Each structure stands twice: as structure tokens, then as C-alpha cells.
Amino acid sequence: MAGNQGMEQLIPIVNKLQDAFTQLGVSMGLDLPQIAVVGGQSAGKSSVLENFVGRDFLPRGSGIVTRRPLILQLINSVSEYGEFLHCKGHKFVDFDLIRKEIEDDTDRITGINKGISPVPINLRVYSPHVLNLTLIDLPGITKVPVGDQPVDIEQQIHEMIMTYIKKDNCLILAVTPANSDLANSDALKLAKEVDPEGVRTIGVITKLDLMDDGTDAREILENKLLPLRRGYIGVVNRSQKDIDGRKDIRAALAAERKFFLGHPAYRHIAERMGTPFLQRILNQQLTNHIRDTLPALRDKLQRQMLSMEKEVEEYKHFRPDDPSRKTKAMLQMIQQLQSDFERSIEGSGSALVNTAELSGGARINRLFHERFPFEIVKMEFDEKELRKEIAFAIRNIHGIRVGLFTPDMAFEAIVKKQISRLKEPSLKCVDLVVNELCNVVRKCTEKMSRYPRLRDQADGVITAHIREREQRTKDQIMALVDFELAYMNTNHEDFIGFANAQQNSESSSKRKLGNQVIRKGYMAIQNLGFMKAGSRDYWFVLTSETLSWFKDDEEKDKKYMLPLDGLKIRDIEQGFMSRRHTFALFNPDQRNVYKDSKQLELSCETQEEVDSWKASFLRAGVYPEKKVDLTNGDDDQTASEGTSSLDPQLERQVETIRNLVDSYMKIITKTIRDLVPKIIMHLMINNSKDFINGELLACLYSTGDQNSMMEESPEEAAKREEMLRMYHACKEALRIIGDVSTATVSTPVPPPVKDDWLRTAPDSPRVSPPSPGGPPRRGVSSRVPPPPPSTRSAPSVPNRPPPGPPPRPGSGIGLPPPLIPQRPGAGLPPIPQRVQNAIAQEMLDAFGMPK
């Protein structure tokens, strides 16, 4: 195989980098440029790509042969073969079969009658002679549809080509055959659209050996006529006869070299012509790209290595079986656990604070001051049900006799029943706190994942202790309730007594707070109606007497003020499509609450917000709805008897007992709300902290073998090995990058040239410069470069170069060359030099001067 020598020089450099990054376990990220070949139909694009790869594998023929984009990925490998994306797993060792598969897959998509398709063919070629690179063979630009091609064939191919060449990492080879007019080159026009600075565009002139006799492309290849920033490179591809005759690419390159050295117009620039020079230019672009990418890679590697140095320093002297290391690690883990648990419960102002949700001590605080009071209020007596129970108690105590005085035993019976109901919310509060403590312990022990047995053992020991303290705490709370049941202290300073109860029998039992603000915040009103978009957020202000809402938190535009007298709270089931949690305010008497609505539906984003608002409404005296189940008619009848058949004397006695029960239960409820959190805090939370700080380490030593507990997890051992490997690979990669930076040579981008001809050539009224494929010229064998610009209005025709024509007889010197007449007007473009030469020759002939 005739390999690409320039590319083969880059292979060791890139392979060193690739090996270093492979050891590092990260992508190399060099992102080498793609190379796209753009040109007209049958311009020789596929031949340019084949020469670059060094293999003959692309379809050939007349007309449009490349009818689908071919994305060719070159991958450096030990063996040489091809693989198609649509034939994964099938290796093509014979490159003739690769050509046939390209033709067959093209026909499967586009048909056999010259159709085109933007669906690319993806081909990977593995070879030891190539670099990891992407080449793109695009369909040739055509204007007239043939066969099954669509009417807008030109527009479709244009869009297809632009899809690839508009990428910044795509080098554009604008291929133009030498036997066509370069000023009308569609390839150069497309390249100019996406690369106006000309940084990515290289002009390629093909078919130099097929130009008409007497013509050449010297001025174009010298970048004097129709210049490009990166200039032009001429190549001579194999002819169809050479391809059919299986002419080797090595022989074709030798023939190309012989052509440029033997042609009188190209021999002085032969070193800058041909496929090998094009390959060197492209390889230099790859080298420049690699050098430009290395600084960012170096910075990334240095940051990564610095981040690993602290852990690596510890790992360098790591000995898994060292007992002192295990003891030290165990003490460090327990100290970290103690610190984390303390910080989770007591709170912390460090950067490690949770900013996403409430956790640890904050959640327990909410349980104590919002959830627990709300649960107590939920179980508080329903007014109607309480009066019925009091009436039954009084009448049952009197029995068959008519009672003249209010029996104090009725008060005691009702109060004891209400006190017993306080056990349920108190024990529920303990359960919620235990769950939160277990969550805190679980999160704290997650940091011990390096030693899974130690983590499981510590978690188990602490959780068992919490469960033990849970039972003691519940026993203490049960004892507290039993204390209250044991003795009714009717001499309590806050108890109103019988005399005051009778005087206040007409007063309301609702505690008045004054119209003080209890809470502010955003909620949404759900039942605004369909015409008002269904729901909307407002700023709510809750006081002890009213609920007001405003447009926003500036509290300037008040929308409504709702009195709270007589209102209750009920839960609303969450809608199927709704993610918000909803509750409602309503009037038990079925009166309208808000405009024409029987209830005001309010919603929040989370259930915690809803619970917090409910607790605030409780402070304002708005209690939850009580559901009374009356299962049969007898119950209805009994209830009716207990309420509607009260005589005036019994009614006064019920009211007196009702006031006494209310006064005494306020004392008990206040005591329970105060003491239950204190009991939980003392017997469970503080005790657990003391256990972790003082006894956990001893329990761990007594429950298991230290060596077994401090065994590392396989994941941690692998992590340590990976860390050391990545650290050394980072150092190696940085060393290689330093070598590459000093070993590779970059070339600066050529300065811009005046290439406005690419924009003006199609529309300018001036005469287009003659193309290499134009009519034959006379005297093309000896010419001089164009003279430098002159300030003269009519420049003279330069003398013919030696050897010049012999002087006329009788004259010592030849006649001076005539001046070229020129129209006035500075805006006209200068006459090209070769036109001046031709006109001068005609005038010399007219004067009879010998040729």
C-alpha cells in the first residue's frame, strides 16, 4: 500500500496522547478536523480522497457517481479492514467489496437511475497507515436533473453540502477541474459562504494533464489569478483508463511527480504541487489543530491532578493490614459521625447546610410546634357531641331522681374521657420523631460506605438504642397522662370554678387573641371559576379574626377580607392532574363563604405548607371538620333525645359543665403540649447524642472484631487503585503534551488576499479573466510575471524577455514598444498582463518587426 507519509509522521504523536488518555480513562478530546471534498460533477473529488487514504475503494464512472454523502472514518489500528454502520460486525478485508457495497447500498436507497439522497453512508476504515480522522465525499454539484433526479436537484445538493462544510472543524477542499472556468467555480462559491475569511478553504485544481495544448494554469497555481488565502494546489489523478487497468496508486503518484517536473509551466513550482504536497498541507493543519487544543487539555489535566493530590498522598503509603491504620480510621469515622449527628440536630451555619429541604432538627422542630398541636386540636371535642355527652352524664347520674344541683361527677367523667384521648397524638409525635432520628442516623452513616461492615454495625447499634429509648419515652408519656387522670386539681389558678362557670355560661369558648397577625404567605385560590383561569396565587394575611388576600406581598391591592367566625377546615382530595395540595374553609351552616361559593378552596405546593397553614388557622380558632357517624336510626333517635328534649334546668347544668370542661382541658392541653416535647427531647434525642458521643465506640468494640469491621469494600479498593492509576496517567499525559508542544512545528495562517472576485465574478459586467481551459494563446512558452502596480495612467507594455527579436537593419536598437491606449476613468479594472502581451505582439507584427 502507498501510505500517506505525512500522516504517518503524525501517527506516533497522536498515538502517544491516545495511550496516555486511555490509561487515564477519559476521552482524548482532540476533535481532529473533518476533511470535506466539494466540487462539481466529475471534478475528481473521489480520486483526491482515495489518494489521501492510499486505497482504491470508491465508485468510479461517468456522470454523477457519488449520489449519497460518504462519511469515511479512518481509525488507526493494527489490522486493515473496513466496516459499514449498516453492516455492523461484518469486516470487509477486500476493498473491492467495499466499493461494491457502497454502490449496492446507494442503489437500495436512491434506485439505479441516478437518484440522490441526503442519507449518509457511514464507513470505517481500520488501518495502521491512517490517523483517526473523518473524510467526507459529497455528491458533485449539478444543475440539470437527469434520470430519477428531482427538479430542484441543485438546491438539494447545495443544502446537503452546506450541512457538512458549515462546521468550524471542517477543512474544505474546493476541487475545480483545470479545463473549466475557475471564476464560475461553484465549489469556491460555496466555500466562501461558510468560510469568508478563507481560513479553512484550500483550492485544488485537478485534470491539469487534460488541458488543451498551448494552455496552462500557471498563474492560478501561483495564486496570482483569482487568488485564495491558502492558495491552490494542483493534482493529477488517475484517468478512467488507469483505473480500469488497475494502475497502482504508488505508480500514479510517480507519474504525477514526473508530469509536474517535466511541464515547462509547472517545473519551477513542482515542489508545491501534487498529492503528496496536499497531504503535507492537510497534515500541517492537523498538527496546528493539535497544538491549539493542547493548552486546554493541559489545564484540565493539571486541575484534575491537583484535585487528586491530597488523596493520593494518603494512598501512597497505604498498607491494608496495618492495625494502627484501622484504629485511626475507625476513630476518625466515629468522630465524623458524632459531628454530623450533632450538626443535623442542633443546626449549623456551615456551607454544608441543606438548602433543598428541611431535615434533622428543623423537621423535629416543626413536629413539636406545628404537627403535634394540630393533632391535638383535631381530636378536640365537637361542640354538639360534647353537649350530648354532658347531658347523658348528668341524667344518668341523677337516675330516677330529679336533680336540683349540678353534679360534679359529670364534670369528672367528661374530663377523664377527654384527657384519655390525648394519648394518641402524643404517642404519634414520638413515632414521627423516631422516624426522623433514624433518617438522620442513616444519612450520617452513609459517609462510612468505605467500610460497609462498620457502617452497618454503627447504624444497627444506634437504631437499637433509639428504639429502646422510644419505649421508655412512650412509657413516660403514658405516665404523664395517667398523672392527669389520677387527680382533678380544681383549685388550679387558671381554673374558673363553678361560680365563674355559671356566670360565663353565655360567653364564647373561643380564645380571643385580638386582631393580631398570625401568618403571611402565598397560596392559590382554586375555585375562582373557569372564566378566571381556574386558580391564581395571592398573598394571604391571616389574623386572629380575618383572612385577607392581596395581589402581591406589597399588600397594597387588597382583593378580599374574609371573617373567620364560624368557619371550619376540611381536606380536599388531590385532583388527578393536579400536583398541589388543597384544603377548604367552609361554614357548617351551609352559608356562602366567598361570593357565591359554599367554600373557599386554597392550595399549596407541598403537604408541609398545608399542615403549617392548618396549624396557623388553629391559632385563629378555625378548627377541622368533625365527621360523626350515626350508623342507624336508634342512634339518630338517641342523639335527638339528648339534645332537643332539654328542659331549662338541665340546659343550664349542661352549659355549666361545658364551661368547666373547657377551662380544665385548656390547662391539661397546655401542659401536654409543653411537656411532651420536653420528655422526647430529654429521654430520646439528648440521650441518643450522649450515647453516640460516649458509648458508641465501646459498643462497637464489644459487638464485633475490629479487623473484620474495618475491611474495605471492593469498590473502595478499586477506587484507590483507580485514583493512583489516574494520578500517574495524568503525570504521563502532561509529560507527553510538553513533548508534543516542543516537537511539533506550526505554521501561521497566510495573510488575507483580495478575493472579492468570488463575490463579484457572477454579477460584474467586466470581462471575466480567461480560464485555464479557454482558447489557445500564442507565445505561452515564455512569459514574465506581471509588473508591480504603477501610478502611470497608461502603463507601457514590458519588453520581451531575452532572447529578444533581432534589431531591424540599419538601426542600433529596436523600436520602443507602443503605448496601450486607455479609456479615461479610474474605476475600470487594469488590463491583465497576458492581454497586454498579446496586443503588443499583434502591433509588432503590424509594424513588420520580425518575430
Side-chain angles (χ1 to χ4, degrees):
M1 168 182 167
N4 183 338
Q5 295 179 358
M7 182 178 286
E8 289 174 355
Q9 294 173 2
L10 270 181
I11 288 175
I13 298 176
V14 179
N15 281 349
K16 285 182 181 179
L17 282 174
Q18 187 67 58
D19 291 342
F21 281 89
T22 300
Q23 292 178 12
L24 193 57
V26 297
S27 174
M28 184 168 64
L30 282 178
D31 189 23
L32 293 179
Q34 299 176 344
I35 300 175
V37 185
V38 182
Q41 185 174 301
S42 299
K45 304 181 301 301
S46 298
S47 297
V48 171
L49 278 184
E50 283 185 341
N51 289 343
F52 193 71
V53 178
R55 274 288 195 173
D56 188 5
F57 64 97
L58 294 176
R60 295 304 185 92
S62 59
I64 182 168
V65 178
T66 305
R67 294 181 284 141
R68 290 174 59 188
L70 174 66
I71 301 178
L72 176 62
Q73 295 176 278
L74 304 181
I75 300 174
N76 184 258
S77 176
V78 177
S79 56
E80 187 173 22
Y81 62 93
E83 186 179 55
F84 288 93
L85 185 62
H86 62 271
C87 298
K88 265 192 172 180
H90 184 205
K91 297 182 179 180
F92 292 81
V93 181
D94 188 348
F95 279 74
D96 289 336
L97 295 179
I98 292 180
R99 180 192 300 110
K100 186 177 185 305
E101 179 60 30
I102 293 174
E103 294 172 347
D104 293 344
D105 194 56
T106 299
D107 292 341
R108 279 193 291 268
I109 300 296
T110 64
I112 60 175
N113 196 16
K114 305 297 182 182
I116 67 167
S117 171
V119 180
I121 300 174
N122 288 271
L123 170 63
R124 291 181 176 180
V125 173
Y126 297 82
S127 173
H129 307 288
V130 299
L131 196 64
N132 293 344
L133 196 62
T134 300
L135 308 174
I136 304 173
D137 189 15
L138 295 168
I141 303 170
T142 184
K143 301 181 182 297
V144 180
V146 296
D148 292 335
Q149 294 176 355
V151 178
D152 60 340
I153 179 71
E154 181 180 8
Q155 180 64 24
Q156 288 192 19
I157 294 180
H158 178 273
E159 294 176 355
M160 190 188 309
I161 294 174
M162 294 294 286
T163 302
Y164 296 94
I165 66 174
K166 68 182 180 182
K167 298 176 182 177
D168 291 336
N169 69 332
C170 180
L171 295 177
I172 306 170
L173 298 186
V175 179
T176 303
N179 53 2
S180 66
D181 190 356
L182 185 66
N184 295 323
S185 171
D186 291 322
L188 292 174
K189 180 181 177 183
L190 288 175
K192 186 68 176 178
E193 291 181 21
V194 297
D195 183 31
E197 300 297 326
V199 176
R200 299 188 285 121
T201 305
I202 299 175
V204 179
I205 305 297
T206 62
K207 302 187 179 182
L208 291 169
D209 55 333
L210 302 181
M211 296 182 68
D212 295 335
D213 293 339
T215 61
D216 58 63
R218 173 178 172 178
E219 292 185 0
I220 293 176
L221 296 177
E222 290 177 346
N223 209 28
K224 296 176 181 177
L225 180 65
L226 310 179
L228 285 176
R229 186 169 186 173
R230 291 193 177 275
Y232 298 88
I233 299 174
V235 297
V236 176
N237 297 324
R238 293 176 298 167
S239 65
Q240 189 62 41
K241 179 180 179 182
D242 294 335
I243 296 172
D244 295 339
R246 298 284 183 174
K247 185 176 182 179
D248 184 57
I249 291 182
R250 186 190 301 272
L253 293 177
E256 179 187 50
R257 175 73 173 168
K258 181 178 180 181
F259 170 81
F260 284 114
L261 289 175
H263 198 287
Y266 307 134
R267 63 166 59 102
H268 68 292
I269 55 174
E271 297 301 324
R272 293 186 285 113
M273 294 292 113
T275 300
F277 181 73
L278 174 61
Q279 292 172 349
R280 288 197 298 272
I281 291 295
L282 293 177
N283 288 329
Q284 187 60 58
Q285 298 306 310
L286 300 181
T287 306
N288 291 348
H289 183 83
I290 291 172
R291 286 177 59 91
D292 294 341
T293 309
L294 290 184
L297 286 175
R298 182 189 296 110
D299 293 342
K300 178 180 178 181
L301 289 173
Q302 288 174 343
R303 289 195 301 269
Q304 189 171 1
M305 192 168 68
L306 287 174
S307 66
M308 293 187 295
E309 276 186 350
K310 184 177 180 180
E311 293 183 65
V312 168
E313 188 64 29
E314 177 185 349
Y315 291 153
K316 282 181 180 178
H317 310 290
F318 183 82
R319 289 185 297 169
D321 298 328
D322 185 5
S324 62
R325 182 198 64 81
K326 292 185 177 182
T327 302
K328 180 180 177 182
M330 186 174 184
L331 291 175
Q332 289 176 344
M333 290 293 177
I334 298 302
Q335 290 174 356
Q336 182 68 36
L337 173 62
Q338 295 168 354
S339 175
D340 292 343
F341 188 83
E342 180 85 15
R343 187 168 53 247
S344 297
I345 298 300
E346 301 296 337
S348 171
S350 67
L352 301 176
V353 65
N354 189 346
T355 59
E357 61 179 357
L358 292 180
S359 62
R363 291 182 67 90
I364 295 175
N365 178 276
R366 170 169 281 188
L367 291 176
F368 285 162
H369 301 294
E370 292 184 6
R371 183 70 180 272
F372 179 51
F374 179 72
E375 293 293 334
I376 289 179
V377 174
K378 277 176 61 178
M379 53 73 56
E380 281 185 351
F381 36 77
D382 180 83
E383 187 68 26
K384 184 177 180 181
E385 184 71 17
L386 179 63
R387 288 181 177 274
K388 182 184 69 173
E389 292 177 357
I390 294 173
F392 284 149
I394 293 174
R395 294 173 68 176
N396 287 332
I397 290 173
H398 286 160
I400 197 171
R401 299 181 301 276
V402 176
L404 298 178
F405 303 101
T406 303
D408 56 353
M409 293 180 62
F411 161 76
E412 187 172 338
I414 296 299
V415 167
K416 286 186 175 181
K417 183 177 180 181
Q418 297 299 324
I419 292 176
S420 299
R421 295 174 61 188
L422 291 173
K423 291 182 180 180
E424 181 181 350
S426 301
L427 298 179
K428 185 176 181 180
C429 181
V430 175
D431 293 335
L432 293 174
V433 172
V434 168
N435 290 336
E436 187 58 35
L437 280 179
C438 291
N439 290 335
V440 170
V441 172
R442 189 178 306 110
K443 290 180 181 178
C444 292
T445 55
E446 283 178 358
K447 296 183 178 180
M448 296 180 174
S449 57
R450 179 175 177 181
Y451 306 100
R453 293 187 180 180
L454 176 63
R455 178 195 60 199
D456 296 341
Q457 195 71 26
D459 191 0
V461 169
I462 298 174
T463 303
H465 180 79
I466 291 175
R467 293 298 179 184
E468 177 189 349
R469 303 307 299 180
E470 173 189 9
Q471 190 57 46
R472 292 197 57 182
T473 304
K474 287 183 177 181
D475 292 342
Q476 186 67 30
I477 290 175
M478 295 288 287
L480 175 64
V481 176
D482 291 339
F483 296 159
E484 299 294 345
L485 290 172
Y487 178 65
M488 302 293 148
N489 183 16
T490 55
N491 288 327
H492 195 281
E493 59 184 2
D494 294 333
F495 186 61
I496 61 175
F498 274 89
N500 292 330
Q502 291 176 351
Q503 293 176 4
N504 299 333
S505 61
E506 300 297 328
S507 65
S508 172
S509 64
K510 179 179 177 180
R511 181 175 54 148
K512 297 296 182 181
L513 300 174
N515 198 25
Q516 67 182 35
V517 176
I518 297 176
R519 185 189 177 101
K520 295 182 180 182
Y522 276 104
M523 284 192 294
I525 300 179
Q526 292 294 109
N527 55 335
L528 287 176
F530 178 75
M531 299 301 294
K532 296 184 179 181
S535 66
R536 184 174 177 182
D537 287 339
Y538 291 100
W539 178 260
F540 283 81
V541 177
L542 174 64
T543 68
S544 57
E545 296 180 356
T546 62
L547 176 67
S548 305
W549 56 91
F550 301 81
K551 180 180 179 181
D552 51 39
D553 55 2
E554 294 181 359
E555 299 183 14
K556 294 181 179 179
D557 185 7
K558 180 182 284 189
K559 298 298 182 181
Y560 199 78
M561 185 174 69
L562 177 67
L564 298 178
D565 289 336
L567 297 185
K568 298 284 186 179
I569 291 180
R570 68 158 61 111
D571 291 326
I572 302 294
E573 290 187 5
Q574 191 173 359
F576 176 71
M577 297 297 293
S578 175
R579 296 182 179 178
R580 301 180 68 91
H581 300 268
T582 308
F583 65 98
L585 300 176
F586 71 100
N587 196 309
D589 298 332
Q590 299 299 314
R591 292 198 299 264
N592 290 343
V593 175
Y594 173 59
K595 296 185 178 180
D596 296 332
S597 301
K598 297 293 184 183
Q599 63 183 16
L600 177 64
E601 297 180 7
L602 305 174
S603 67
C604 302
E605 290 287 345
T606 64
Q607 185 62 43
E608 289 185 353
E609 290 183 70
V610 170
D611 292 341
S612 182
W613 271 104
K614 286 181 180 179
S616 300
F617 275 109
L618 292 179
R619 294 183 57 198
V622 181
Y623 297 106
E625 174 187 21
K626 296 295 181 179
K627 297 182 180 179
V628 180
D629 289 334
L630 299 178
T631 57
N632 51 48
D634 295 339
D635 292 336
D636 292 339
Q637 183 178 358
T638 305
S640 177
E641 290 176 357
T643 56
S644 62
S645 62
L646 295 179
D647 58 56
Q649 182 180 0
L650 180 60
E651 188 171 350
R652 285 193 299 272
Q653 293 177 349
V654 169
E655 185 65 27
T656 299
I657 298 296
R658 168 67 183 84
N659 291 336
L660 291 172
V661 171
D662 185 38
S663 174
Y664 197 80
M665 285 306 299
K666 284 183 178 179
I667 298 172
I668 300 302
T669 301
K670 183 178 180 180
T671 303
I672 294 295
R673 288 178 56 177
D674 180 60
L675 290 180
V676 167
K678 292 180 178 179
I679 293 172
I680 295 174
M681 197 69 192
H682 173 67
L683 294 180
M684 185 180 301
I685 298 177
N686 289 342
N687 186 274
S688 297
K689 286 195 298 182
D690 294 340
F691 175 79
I692 292 175
N693 292 333
E695 302 179 30
L696 176 60
L697 188 60
C699 290
L700 291 175
Y701 274 115
S702 63
T703 55
D705 180 27
Q706 177 192 359
N707 291 329
S708 63
M709 279 194 299
M710 297 307 295
E711 286 183 0
E712 280 188 322
S713 64
E715 294 81 7
E716 185 64 26
K719 177 184 176 183
R720 184 178 65 254
E721 297 293 335
E722 181 73 10
M723 181 74 67
L724 292 172
R725 186 185 60 78
M726 289 184 66
Y727 181 78
H728 294 302
C730 266
K731 292 183 66 175
E732 178 66 14
L734 286 173
R735 186 190 64 77
I736 295 174
I737 287 177
D739 293 343
V740 172
S741 299
T742 56
T744 56
V745 179
S746 64
T747 56
V749 178
V753 297
K754 187 177 181 181
D755 57 356
D756 56 346
W757 62 272
L758 284 173
R759 294 186 294 273
T760 59
D763 303 324
S764 176
R766 71 178 177 86
V767 179
S768 174
S771 67
R777 298 190 306 246
R778 298 167 58 184
V780 296
S781 60
S782 59
R783 287 171 299 173
V784 295
S790 173
T791 56
R792 296 176 56 186
S793 59
S796 61
V797 179
N799 291 330
R800 295 165 65 100
R808 296 181 61 184
S811 174
I813 58 173
L815 291 176
L819 297 178
I820 305 298
Q822 182 177 0
R823 292 196 189 101
L828 294 176
I831 299 176
Q833 180 63 34
R834 56 185 176 182
V835 177
Q836 296 182 24
N837 292 342
I839 294 175
Q841 184 64 43
E842 294 295 336
M843 296 184 69
L844 290 174
D845 293 342
F847 282 107
M849 296 181 64
K851 297 182 180 179

